[in-house]
Structure formats: structure tokens, C-alpha cells
Amino acid sequence: MHDACGVVGISLRDFSASVAKPIYYALHSLQHRGQEAAGISVHDGKGVRVHRGMGLVSEVFGDAQINLLRGPVGIGHVRYPTTGSSCLENSQPLLVKYRDGAIAIAHNGNLVNSQELQKQLEGAGDIFHSTSDTEVIAHLLVRELQRYDLADAIRAVMHRLVGSYSLVFLYGDLVIGVRDPLGIKPLCIGKLENGYMVASESVAVDTLNGRLVRDVQPGEMVTIKSGAISCERLVRAPRPAHCIFEYIYFARPDSILDGRLVYDIRVNIGSILAEEHPADADIVAPIPDSGITLAVGYHQRSGTRYRECLMKNRYVGRTFIMPDQSMRETAVRLKMNTIRPNIEGKKIVLVDDSIVRGTTSRRIVDMVRGAGAKTVHVRIGSPPIIAPCYLGIDMASREELIAAHKTVEGVEAVIDATSLGYVSLEGLVKAIGIPIEHLCTGCLSGMYPVEIPGEECCNSQRRITEFTC
Ligand code: AMP
């Protein structure tokens, strides 16, 4: 199971304040990180309550649910759709009751050794209710809490986990944020008028009119108690491995991730794309929405006129949630319409962030040709996606990834583009401004920063194996 999700935790100073509403708004701002399920868990001074449901935040929560979740501290989660694991049991926060109390956990990321850990724990007598790696983390934590204080227990758990995890816990009246030692998935700290928060992206802080303090450091634990914050670096790795796909596609452009505004990065990518793959064209147009900022960069660098050619129906979910190929193709048509007068008789550059299976690009090139384009050059703001993600982006299997099996010319032929150009990995890394050794490029290079069971092509040079306390 792959979890690419959004998490938030808030602790307010005023004990009579209610945290459920701000968490609800924060989850709304993180909705792009997961549309399958949403949940909020709140501590009311006596115990922990949780409400979870399938669907968008607005579908899961109404006034009635929010009013029942009273208390000044809480956490929330939005879950990304993944085929086959779409059920309420896998939604979060996960509430674990044990002898000394209860812990609620929200997790963004994916462990690659969770099956192995689960087997070990089951061998020692633990009983599991799901196959979720979050439950594995919960079991490990409950065990370690019997031996250590909170920080040491979390440190001990971190030493056993391999993979990506940005975690938010509700432990008594504490909100705890933990980022994995490689900082694969994002997590940041925000200051609110009456407390502190941690969240997957800074847009959640903006939404609550807070101030972004900084990113949680890789391997760091952040504790928020009664609206006051303390931080401790629990585990250190020699270097981070931030997920490169967050910058390309996943994070919102108005978020600041590891100190960089995603919008600026995407404009840079578009600009480098224009340098690397110029085209003889009348207009440059984005594939909305993910191509917009890239197309702005392409336009600025190339001088080619920016003109929108496609309009998106914003009320249709992402095509990715459609479980089979024929429904996915219908969904693309439902989602997008052409602006014919902007297209007819023109040479067009279409810009998008990525090609995964190739379905979206093929359909759109088809539509744009059908609307009378003379030529359709496709420009992509990522290098070819050639390998699956095991570390928290639910992308596709290797068999489904079009670029895993075809050359650029092969993909160009399948999507029927006049020409196809992907930004180079070097260009992308330059646009992001983080050294390549500090990024996880697994989906683009097949080289992962941690050992992936069964993945033969991972290059050990890129692996990070030494961790210190
Ligand atoms: P595809 O049709 O499979 O080639 O999908 C490519 C489109 O899906 C691109 O336009 C991206 O904006 C979008 N996309 C890329 N990665 C993901 C992902 N992990 N989840 C959902 N959508 C994605």
C-alpha cells in the first residue's frame, strides 16, 4: 500500500478553544494531497475522539461532526486514492488504545520494511487489524513506550523504520510531528495567533493566517504542548533525500517546501525546458492545472505567446482515481474542453508536468489536433518517469509506466505529438536548486535512497544507510 497523503496537527494555548475547525480548514488546503478519505482526531482533556470518512473533506465533515470534536489539540489527515486499498479501515488518523492510554497517528509516506516488521511483531504476539504501515508504527511505538520516555521511544522506532514518514501524533494533550531522517516527505512548522501547528505544506499555515516558522528538519521531533513548541533532532542521516516529485507535481505551487517556493521552481523548470527544447510555435499553452506555472516559465524564456487552449472542469476529480483504462479516458474528456478559436490553424506548444501512463497526453494531443492545431509540440517538466515510487507517491506500476518501456521517440509516437521534449534531470535539479545527492530521484533514475526489497536496479551508491542519534 502506498500512502501519499496530507497531515496536520494543531495545539492551541487557550484550553477552551476548539481546534477541529482550524484542522478542517487546514485539511481543505491540503485536499490536493488526498481525496479518498479524511479524518480528524481531537483530545478534549479527558480522552481522544476521532471522526473519519471516505470522500473529500467537505463530504466527511459538516457542522455536526466538527461540533462533536471538542478540545484545543488535535490532528488531521487526508488520504490519497489507491487502487485496492480504498476502505475506511485504512483511513486515518489511526487510533490505538493501549494499557496506558490512546495514541492517534496520521502518516504521510510509505515504509518499505513494514511487512517484515509486521511479521516480527506478529511473531511476538501482536494482533493487527489492517495491512497499513501506520499500524506497524503504532505497534512499535506502544512497545517502546513501555521501555522509554516519549522521545527515546520515538527514536527507537525511527531506527527500525525504512522508508518515508512524516508523522503527526496525538499523545495525551501533546501534538507531535516527526519527519523521517531523510526528509523524504515534507513537514513544516507554523505559528498561529494562539498556538502552533505542523502540516505537510505551508499552504495550510497560510490558510489559518499563521506564519511559516520553518521546515521540520529530517529526523527531527517537534512537540507542541499547550500552544508552546519544543524541537529535538532524534536521528541524523548524512544527507537528506527530499522527494523530487513534490516539486514537479505533488505540492501546491503556493507552498514553500524546504525553503523554496514551489511556484518559483516550476517557473524555473519551464524556463529550462524552453532552453533545452525550443519549438517553432505560435503559442505556448498549459495542460491545466499542473502545467500552468511551467508554461509561464516556458513563455517567459522563449518569448512565445502564452494563450490558454484548454479549460478544465474543476468539479471532476483527478483522472487518476478512475480504476480502469476506459473510464480514465472518458474522464479526461469530461475534465477538459478545448478553446477552439485559440487553437485553429496554430502551431502549439503544450506544457505539462509529467507523463505517467501516457493516457492524458495522448487524449489531449488528440483533442487539440481535433480543434484544428497545425502542429502540437509537447513539453514535459520532468524527465521520463521510468521506475515506480516506493516512498510515498502512488504513481503506477513499472508495467504501466510508458517511459519504462519506450524511448522518447516511442512515447512521442504513442501520444501523436509533432515533437516531444522532457526537461533533463540536470535541468530539473538546477531549477530546484537543491544538490542531486539531497533529492530522491527514484522515479526518474531507478536509484532509491533506501534499499527497496525486490527492486534490483537500485544503485547502492545513492543509498543512505548510516544513521546516528
Ligand atoms: P498519465 O495519463 O498516466 O500519463 O498521467 C499524467 C497526468 O497525471 C499528468 O498530467 C500529471 O499532472 C498527473 N499525475 C502525475 N503523477 C500523478 C500522481 N501520482 N497522481 C495523480 N496524478 C498524477
Side-chain angles (χ1 to χ4, degrees), residues 274-383:
E275 280 168 27
E276 292 183 348
H277 298 284
D280 168 27
D282 305 311
I283 57 172
V284 51
I287 295 184
D289 290 326
S290 49
I292 293 174
T293 323
L294 299 162
V296 168
Y298 195 100
H299 147 74
Q300 284 175 359
R301 185 77 187 101
S302 63
T304 310
R305 188 167 166 224
Y306 179 94
R307 197 102 172 120
E308 285 172 67
C309 292
L310 298 150
M311 262 313 130
K312 193 170 170 173
N313 178 343
R314 287 177 210 288
Y315 305 98
V316 181
R318 290 185 182 192
T319 51
F320 245 65
I321 66 176
M322 302 298 170
D324 69 58
Q325 193 70 15
S326 70
M327 281 170 75
R328 253 197 297 272
E329 290 182 12
T330 308
V332 175
R333 283 194 300 271
L334 179 69
K335 228 170 117 170
M336 208 79 85
N337 190 25
T338 51
I339 308 175
R340 189 175 268 273
N342 291 357
I343 298 173
E344 226 156 19
K346 307 249 173 37
K347 294 180 272 181
I348 294 173
V349 178
L350 278 182
V351 186
D352 201 4
D353 63 287
S354 58
I355 297 178
V356 182
R357 298 174 176 90
T359 322
T360 310
S361 316
R362 201 184 64 231
R363 280 277 151 215
I364 288 175
V365 171
D366 216 42
M367 282 166 67
V368 172
R369 283 192 187 281
K374 239 201 251 168
T375 51
V376 186
H377 302 278
V378 175
R379 298 293 178 263
I380 300 295
S382 76

Side-chain angles (χ1 to χ4, degrees), residues 1 36 79-86 320-324 328 357 394 400:
M1 196 167 82
E36 184 196 65
R79 190 182 143 75
Y80 198 72
T82 52
T83 319
S85 57
S86 179
F320 245 65
I321 66 176
M322 302 298 170
D324 69 58
R328 253 197 297 272
R357 298 174 176 90
D394 187 51
E400 293 171 309

